[in-house]
Amino acid sequence: MEYSIRQLADLTGVSTRTLRYYDERGLLKPSRVNEQGCRYYEQEQVDLLQQILFYRERNLGLDVIKEIISNPQFDAAQALEEHLIALMEQEKHISTLIQTVKNTIADMKGEERNMSDKEKFEGFKRELIEEKERLYGKEAREKYGEEAVDEANQKIMGLSEADYERFKNLEKEVLRQLEEAVRNKELPESETGHRIVLLHKDWLGYTWKEYSAQAHKGLASMYIADERFLAYYDKNIKGCGEFLVKAVDYWAGR
């Protein structure tokens, strides 16, 4: 079946303006454009739009999505499997948060014993651990051993509310400064790269028993070897993961 741009917008809830923008960016080209300039889409484009929207829900930037779907080895069925896993993890996360909110409301109403500050944030911390285990647990345990990974997880669960907030804010700041550095075409060997490595080191300190430059570089080597790590750092601007790896390799231990 063929859809005009207006029909596709009505069907998907994506505005015609956004569809035109996707066309301009080379992300979603219409199957044909008539003499009046109206865009038309067939099933192939409808399916591709669904993939784009799934990736957007996973907070990937348009440049990253374009690179993924333009890859000759892109497998739509495999991508859907990955989307399903991500959505199921999101569902689990939301369920945990819902239960935490319910417990907090009950606590406020005096319906059960007082919740400690630690318990109020336990759901967030547990979800963080489960997500990292799902994404990187196998590789981390093979590289660092069961005991080291378990100790890191226990350290996260033991964080106070204030420490947990600092831990999450550090992660956001590392990402922000990486994106700014890549956008400004900074070099990993620059003072900007040094500052980012120190921030990353501080962030690791919340989960590592003790810091070593060698372990820091080893972790960075995992980043460059695993596309999931790169996708995380490159989700908005491509090159952030590579910048971090090179900066850590140059600055760690100096």
Side-chain angles (χ1 to χ4, degrees):
M1 181 174 179
E2 186 178 67
Y3 299 94
S4 69
I5 189 171
R6 169 54 60 189
Q7 290 171 327
L8 185 60
D10 291 341
L11 176 70
T12 63
V14 178
S15 69
T16 56
R17 180 179 179 181
T18 298
L19 291 172
R20 292 190 186 96
Y21 181 64
Y22 285 172
D23 182 7
E24 293 168 5
R25 293 288 297 269
L27 202 65
L28 182 70
K29 290 289 185 182
S31 60
R32 69 180 181 91
V33 180
N34 69 10
E35 294 179 355
Q36 289 74 38
C38 183
R39 296 166 171 83
Y40 288 87
Y41 301 82
E42 295 183 351
Q43 191 62 49
E44 180 181 353
Q45 288 76 46
V46 174
D47 292 341
L48 186 58
L49 177 58
Q50 183 191 46
Q51 291 284 0
I52 293 169
L53 296 180
F54 276 134
Y55 281 121
R56 290 296 287 159
E57 282 294 320
R58 294 169 63 181
N59 295 318
L60 294 185
L62 293 181
D63 288 340
V64 176
I65 296 173
K66 182 179 178 181
E67 183 175 350
I68 292 172
I69 63 178
S70 299
N71 190 322
Q73 297 181 337
F74 175 70
D75 186 327
Q78 181 180 344
L80 285 172
E81 291 284 351
E82 293 173 358
H83 295 322
L84 178 60
I85 292 172
L87 289 170
M88 289 173 68
E89 288 295 325
Q90 184 178 354
E91 180 184 38
K92 186 176 179 181
H93 172 58
I94 291 173
S95 296
T96 301
L97 294 182
I98 288 173
Q99 189 58 51
T100 299
V101 171
K102 286 181 177 180
N103 291 344
T104 304
I105 292 173
D107 175 55
M108 288 179 174
K109 292 181 177 180
E111 296 176 2
E112 58 180 56
R113 64 180 178 81
N114 291 335
M115 291 179 69
S116 67
D117 289 339
K118 181 179 178 181
E119 287 175 315
K120 290 175 182 177
F121 282 83
E122 190 167 334
F124 295 100
K125 292 185 286 187
R126 191 171 300 283
E127 170 59 22
L128 174 64
I129 290 171
E130 289 175 353
E131 180 181 13
K132 290 187 180 298
E133 281 285 347
R134 177 177 62 82
L135 293 174
Y136 320 120
K138 182 176 182 292
E139 292 85 349
R141 291 177 184 278
E142 289 175 353
K143 189 173 184 66
Y144 299 108
E146 296 285 340
E147 184 177 351
V149 175
D150 289 341
E151 284 181 355
N153 290 341
Q154 289 170 9
K155 198 168 181 183
I156 291 176
M157 289 304 298
L159 292 177
S160 67
E161 176 185 349
D163 283 341
Y164 177 75
E165 285 298 315
R166 283 193 287 268
F167 173 64
K168 295 301 292 180
N169 288 335
L170 264 175
E171 183 178 25
K172 293 176 183 177
E173 185 61 17
V174 168
L175 286 170
R176 187 191 70 78
Q177 292 202 24
L178 276 172
E179 290 174 3
E180 184 176 333
V182 172
R183 193 180 294 114
N184 294 334
K185 302 186 185 307
E186 300 265 11
L187 295 175
E189 299 81 12
S190 67
E191 280 304 313
T192 298
H194 189 197
R195 184 175 65 249
I196 291 172
V197 171
L198 291 177
L199 284 172
H200 195 252
K201 175 184 175 181
D202 289 344
W203 177 70
L204 292 174
Y206 282 91
T207 59
W208 284 13
K209 185 176 182 179
E210 58 183 24
Y211 174 84
S212 78
Q214 183 178 359
H216 198 172
K217 291 180 180 182
L219 179 66
S221 70
M222 286 178 61
Y223 287 173
I224 203 71
D226 192 318
E227 63 182 14
R228 293 170 300 175
F229 285 97
L230 289 180
Y232 170 75
Y233 285 104
D234 290 357
K235 60 184 176 182
N236 292 321
I237 298 179
K238 184 174 173 57
C240 291
E242 183 180 359
F243 184 100
L244 178 61
V245 170
K246 290 182 177 179
V248 169
D249 187 61
Y250 183 83
W251 286 109
R254 288 188 179 230

